[in-house]
Amino acid sequence: MDVEDFFHVSAFEAVCPPDTWDRWELRVERNTERMLALLDEHRVRATFFVLGWVAERCPGLVRRIHGAGHEVACHGHGHRRVNTLDREEFRQDVRRAKALLEDLVGEAVLGYRAPSYSIGPTSLWAFDELVEAGFAYDSSVFPVRHDLYGLSEWPRFPFRLERLDGEGAGNWVPAGGRGPNDAPSLLEVPITPVRLWGRNWPAAGGGYFRLLPYPVTRWALRRIRERDGRPFVFYVHPWEIDPAQPRIEGAGLKSRFRHYLNLHRTEPRLRRLLSEFPFGPIRDVVPGLAPPSP
């Protein structure tokens, strides 16, 4: 779960800049409560990547997420794409959000996910900042081809990232013994694509969950589990079960299509998904996760 509101999405950033956010109706709390009830109904626990901006305005919601046994992770503070920030801006954004969330839940926040999966070839330095901030894992890599994000050649399943010291700041690669044994490392938990015809195809959540017919999603996820024998990472946003959300004017046709398509179908599809597949928080499913040493 990426806990943000409908006006936070990157597709609307040009027409809904941060200085306008407080003018919009806040719907994220009620929608996340609906998600919590849905998960409780199916006895499922999940990871909630919470935006710091939301946590500041809805601290009780963060505590309820944690109190229900879900993992609270970090989605940054201001939902700004990493590739639009400089290093100092990113540092302040993630540390502010992490500290706020940890104060609310009283334990270490292990995971981070970038808005719009925006850690890419030009912003690999972000992994340095995540390690220095004390995160145990990142879930920002989407190994697909896309016009806005993606590291399509990177592994599809959780892997260890390592920094090649001495070859330039921010030179992070999937671990393969190329760096020194004491090089910094970070566990990466990518969004899982399905492999077909020699290419990675997105199928595990978000707009793809709304675009593709449910049987196609189910087939893709079963293929990952049965052919690859691995768990998959699936994602969804609270605003995606809210077809009554206000319509935002001024955004481009592609952005509006991606955002509003089949919102009325998300909740019934999600109910089917939760009844057909087992789920759990990243911290419980992915081996090797533990709070970093102080």
Side-chain angles (χ1 to χ4, degrees):
M1 300 283 174
D2 291 354
V3 183
E4 61 194 56
D5 220 327
F6 67 97
F7 50 82
H8 289 133
V9 300
S10 297
F12 296 149
E13 63 188 7
V15 293
C16 290
D19 61 359
T20 69
W21 288 352
D22 283 319
R23 304 176 198 169
W24 292 96
E25 177 189 4
L26 193 68
R27 301 173 70 90
V28 64
E29 187 163 16
R30 76 189 76 168
N31 289 331
T32 306
E33 293 283 6
R34 288 174 59 195
M35 285 291 198
L36 287 169
L38 182 58
L39 293 174
D40 186 63
E41 177 185 333
H42 289 84
R43 299 182 179 181
V44 167
R45 298 294 175 263
T47 296
F48 285 71
F49 292 92
V50 182
L51 199 65
W53 190 94
V54 172
E56 284 183 336
R57 288 155 180 79
C58 308
L61 176 64
V62 179
R63 295 189 183 101
R64 289 192 293 277
I65 292 169
H66 180 256
H70 303 284
E71 177 185 9
V72 172
C74 180
H75 199 35
H77 187 270
H79 207 270
R80 297 180 64 188
R81 288 178 293 124
V82 179
N83 52 15
T84 69
L85 301 174
D86 64 35
R87 190 159 175 168
E88 179 61 27
E89 289 173 326
F90 178 73
R91 177 185 299 124
Q92 295 300 323
D93 180 89
V94 296
R95 294 192 180 201
R96 177 182 179 183
K98 189 175 192 287
L100 173 61
L101 294 170
E102 290 178 340
D103 284 346
L104 289 173
V105 303
E107 64 182 32
V109 168
L110 303 183
Y112 170 79
R113 175 172 291 160
S116 302
Y117 309 105
S118 53
I119 297 180
T122 63
S123 53
L124 297 182
W125 48 260
F127 295 129
D128 291 287
E129 294 300 329
L130 296 179
V131 169
E132 292 176 15
F135 289 100
Y137 74 88
D138 173 69
S139 186
S140 303
V141 170
F142 206 153
V144 296
R145 298 175 185 174
H146 191 276
D147 58 339
L148 297 178
Y149 53 74
L151 288 162
S152 62
E153 303 305 317
W154 284 32
R156 293 188 295 140
F157 300 107
F159 60 93
R160 182 66 58 179
L161 277 164
E162 66 181 10
R163 188 176 69 201
L164 301 186
D165 284 348
E167 297 187 26
N171 193 5
W172 288 80
V173 295
R178 287 167 286 184
N181 292 333
D182 60 349
S185 68
L186 181 71
L187 187 67
E188 178 61 41
V189 184
I191 304 299
T192 317
V194 63
R195 187 75 176 171
L196 185 66
W197 302 317
R199 180 174 171 179
N200 294 344
W201 300 89
Y208 310 106
F209 189 49
R210 292 181 281 114
L211 173 65
L212 300 172
Y214 181 78
V216 175
T217 298
R218 180 175 55 197
W219 170 86
L221 300 180
R222 284 181 174 172
R223 180 181 175 92
I224 294 167
R225 283 176 54 82
E226 295 170 4
R227 175 164 292 197
D228 298 303
R230 303 288 294 273
F232 57 81
V233 175
F234 185 92
Y235 73 99
V236 68
H237 306 82
W239 57 259
E240 291 184 280
I241 59 169
D242 183 14
Q245 64 189 258
R247 269 23 184 193
I248 293 178
E249 302 296 331
L253 179 61
K254 182 189 289 188
S255 295
R256 286 185 281 117
F257 174 80
R258 286 173 169 171
H259 186 86
Y260 295 118
L261 176 71
N262 287 336
L263 291 176
H264 65 290
R265 299 184 188 274
T266 307
E267 185 170 356
R269 287 181 177 180
L270 191 55
R271 288 183 178 276
R272 292 182 66 182
L273 187 82
L274 293 172
S275 68
E276 294 186 24
F277 294 92
F279 288 93
I282 288 175
R283 68 181 179 197
D284 295 343
V285 175
V286 177
L289 276 179
S293 300

